[in-house]
Amino acid sequence: MDNDVSAGNTSTSTLGHLALGLTLLAFGIGHTGAVGGVTAADAVSLALYVGGIALFVAGLLEFRAGNGFTGTAFAGLGAFWFTWGAGADARVSDHAAGLFLLLWALFALTLTLGAAGRGLLGQGTYGLLFVALLLLGIGQFADSGFLTKAGGWLAALAGLAAWYGATAALAHWPTTVPRRAAGRGATATG
């Protein structure tokens, strides 16, 4: 996921990525309508406590350990999930909800750009989150069920990526694809 989540490291970064992954999975699946009777509103408790509070605390611990990027990602996303979960019962217009999601999409874009050089899995997670929030926000403005479902699927994929990265760190699974030489008989020149 990033430099903090390498195979064998069981730091707060791993716990934070698990919290992010589980919350994104519940949030995303709820928006897809793939499971009968399950909506995004059913993810409110998970978003509030696991995605909000636990992820925010993991972010603070990452800041304390000197990991500025991971601290920013976890504390910021913890604030997103807490705000989303706490405001779930509030009556807001579709445009206000869309604006909320679009503003947080900008935060996810910042994380995507900031994750450059930290591994494709981490950058992919934040990139998928960015596109998911973008589609969900536009879907709110346009009252489009199709965009909402597409955003939900991308959020679920981002959740799977975050979950895999954390699980890989605990289970000593690979998080990168080994590079192969350009072709048969290729050698490095130097």
Side-chain angles (χ1 to χ4, degrees):
M1 301 277 311
D2 56 30
N3 293 337
D4 302 334
V5 183
S6 58
N9 187 346
T10 58
S11 69
T12 55
S13 178
T14 304
L15 177 63
H17 285 102
L18 278 172
L20 177 61
L22 294 175
T23 307
L24 274 169
L25 275 168
F27 175 78
I29 291 170
H31 276 92
T32 66
V35 179
V38 176
T39 67
D42 295 322
V44 168
S45 292
L46 185 71
L48 192 62
Y49 297 108
V50 176
I53 296 171
L55 196 56
F56 186 80
V57 170
L60 295 179
L61 292 172
E62 287 294 312
F63 276 129
R64 184 172 181 220
N67 302 322
F69 175 80
T70 308
T72 300
F74 290 171
L77 291 171
F80 165 72
W81 290 119
F82 188 83
T83 304
W84 183 81
D89 291 334
R91 297 279 180 210
V92 297
S93 70
D94 286 344
H95 288 179
L99 181 61
F100 173 81
L101 292 168
L102 290 176
L103 291 173
W104 283 100
L106 290 175
F107 180 76
L109 176 60
T110 300
L111 294 178
T112 304
L113 298 173
R118 294 179 176 270
L120 189 56
L121 187 59
Q123 193 171 25
T125 298
Y126 297 126
L128 286 168
L129 176 59
F130 161 67
V131 177
L133 292 174
L134 184 66
L135 290 176
L136 288 166
I138 293 169
Q140 285 290 323
F141 277 106
D143 194 25
S144 170
F146 173 77
L147 289 177
T148 298
K149 284 186 179 190
W153 283 113
L154 289 174
L157 285 174
L160 282 174
W163 169 82
Y164 177 81
T167 303
L170 291 173
H172 306 286
W173 295 345
T175 57
T176 60
V177 178
R179 292 187 173 201
R180 239 180 60 140
R184 187 175 284 214
T187 60
T189 60

